[in-house]
Amino acid sequence: MPKPIDPITMQVINNFLVTTCREMGVAMMNTSYSPLFNEGLDFSCAIFDEKGEMIAQAEFCPAHLGAIIYIADWTIQE
């Protein structure tokens, strides 16, 4: 049985994962030629585990996050 993680360590890991999602979004904004991406922020960034469970997300466009769960599951199955 795995040892439980203390709340401080859990928060540090959570902040790292959310910051990674935000950095993915900043990279998309900086490298995109489309105004939809770099001005409208019309994209989502999330990290999933090996089971397809979302473990972190950034605050760009949450409308995509409803469908991205199914896309992650389909990608794992493929």
Side-chain angles (χ1 to χ4, degrees):
M1 185 167 164
K3 182 179 174 183
I5 299 175
D6 65 284
I8 294 172
T9 303
M10 180 67 93
Q11 192 62 40
V12 168
I13 292 170
N14 180 56
N15 287 342
F16 172 77
L17 293 172
V18 171
T19 301
T20 301
C21 290
R22 290 178 185 147
E23 289 178 4
M24 287 190 293
V26 170
M28 287 183 67
M29 289 174 6
N30 291 337
T31 58
S32 172
Y33 292 107
S34 171
L36 287 172
F37 283 97
N38 55 24
E39 293 175 12
L41 304 179
D42 190 22
F43 60 89
S44 296
C45 296
I47 298 176
F48 294 84
D49 66 6
E50 68 277 358
K51 299 176 196 168
E53 299 284 329
M54 186 184 307
I55 57 175
Q57 68 186 41
E59 308 86 2
F60 294 105
C61 182
H64 300 116
L65 295 174
I68 201 168
I69 296 169
Y70 299 107
I71 294 168
D73 184 45
W74 176 79
T75 303
I76 291 170
Q77 290 177 11
E78 284 293 315

